[in-house]
Amino acid sequence: MPTSDSLEEAVLWDYGFTFYYRGDTAFDVTFNEERTVSYSLALEDAGGIAEIRVTASAGSLPRVLYPDTTLIASANGYQYRNDDGTLLTFEDAAERFQRTVIIERLDTLDVQSARATMQTITFPAPMIPFIESSTQLDIGGSHGSLPSHLTAMLQTLLANSPFAIQPLSLECRYAYVIGGVPVEAPVLLLPRSDFAIGFDEQIVDQIASGITQWLDAVQPPESGARLVFALTFWTAIPRMDARLLRLTNLSLAMTDVVR
């Protein structure tokens, strides 16, 4: 099973946009071009101090930033500290047009695009994230068969996907150390395939079988060895074809693989 929250944290992104508007306002954000959440921002006078109150029709509340200030959570919303240490006054905030909205910690594979609409103005194209990480992320941590480790990895990434199909590709390398020198050997390449959410055992078995055949044929050194996976995901939204996520160092220690 994937260890801790490393894999989950690696796929998160923030959607943000800046607008110019004075006073209270409302806006919608459409996720994946199909699910819309409504938000409202109200500038209130909290004893002379500016306070932004945020509401949302669903999900978590976004952060709202003013330029040249530090965001401070308050009992009822957000207040702002100026560079000189003073709090932003209601009077000063009422004269400022620029604000930035940030919706945090969206899962790249669950929320593959976002598009804001304010009044009658809509961003012309949705924002599509792309995350690429070469950080080593351990996906073992317990003993299990190769198919069970692969299933756990993919389920961790795709458990909350709203889509029926997720396009992906997979590469596998065998990493070991010989004579003090790290070595990696290519093992398997799964070209871009449509992975059925919930769950595509055929592709998992295909990957596991290919790796097992390579291990049986090559008999590589086992000391300190690990399987290293690289996963690439593309958008699952119809009429879009952009890369979303590439994780190049998903590490599975061979000591965790039961054969």
Side-chain angles (χ1 to χ4, degrees):
M1 295 291 290
T3 59
S4 71
D5 293 330
S6 297
L7 191 55
E8 290 90 336
E9 293 291 324
V11 304
L12 300 180
W13 69 292
D14 298 340
Y15 173 62
F17 63 94
T18 298
F19 66 96
Y20 297 82
Y21 192 87
R22 190 159 59 187
D24 300 345
T25 189
F27 61 90
D28 296 330
V29 177
T30 300
F31 300 101
N32 295 334
E33 294 292 90
E34 62 179 12
R35 179 177 66 90
T36 298
V37 177
S38 298
Y39 301 87
S40 67
L41 309 180
L43 175 61
E44 299 190 356
D45 186 344
I49 300 303
E51 189 166 80
I52 288 283
R53 297 195 182 188
V54 186
T55 62
S57 63
S60 58
L61 299 178
R63 293 192 300 148
V64 183
L65 309 180
Y66 276 100
D68 304 317
T69 66
T70 302
L71 185 70
I72 303 171
S74 64
N76 299 309
Y78 300 126
Q79 294 180 354
Y80 303 86
R81 192 177 303 282
N82 294 311
D83 291 341
D84 62 5
T86 63
L87 291 176
L88 181 67
T89 66
F90 175 80
E91 182 179 0
D92 287 344
E95 295 300 318
R96 298 193 183 192
F97 288 84
Q98 182 178 334
R99 301 178 204 169
T100 299
V101 172
I102 301 177
I103 302 173
E104 299 178 295
R105 300 179 65 79
L106 301 171
D107 188 310
T108 305
L109 296 172
D110 303 342
V111 180
Q112 300 190 2
S113 75
R115 183 203 303 256
T117 301
M118 181 176 293
Q119 308 295 337
T120 58
I121 300 174
T122 301
F123 281 85
M127 171 67 72
I128 299 174
F130 175 62
I131 296 174
E132 184 165 21
S133 174
S134 59
T135 301
Q136 180 173 319
L137 300 172
D138 294 326
I139 60 171
S142 62
H143 295 291
S145 67
L146 186 52
S148 70
H149 283 300
L150 292 170
T151 297
M153 175 180 68
L154 291 168
Q155 284 182 335
T156 297
L157 289 166
L158 299 172
N160 298 316
S161 173
F163 305 101
I165 297 293
Q166 175 61 60
L168 61 82
S169 67
L170 179 144
E171 305 156 42
C172 178
R173 310 183 302 278
Y174 190 87
Y176 60 99
V177 177
I178 184 168
V181 178
V183 177
E184 288 193 0
V187 175
L188 177 140
L189 170 63
L190 175 74
R192 175 171 170 165
S193 304
D194 287 336
F195 188 87
I197 305 298
F199 203 73
D200 202 324
E201 294 182 1
Q202 182 176 354
I203 288 183
V204 170
D205 290 342
Q206 177 184 344
I207 296 168
S209 176
I211 294 171
T212 300
Q213 289 177 19
W214 185 91
L215 292 172
D216 291 342
V218 177
Q219 295 290 312
E222 295 185 0
S223 178
R226 57 194 176 95
L227 293 171
V228 181
F229 298 95
L231 276 170
T232 302
F233 295 88
W234 285 263
T235 52
I237 302 171
R239 300 180 302 280
M240 294 184 185
D241 189 19
R243 288 198 305 168
L244 283 172
L245 175 67
R246 180 164 170 78
L247 304 173
T248 63
N249 197 355
L250 301 170
S251 177
L252 174 60
M254 287 301 298
T255 53
D256 287 338
V257 178
V258 177
R259 298 183 61 196

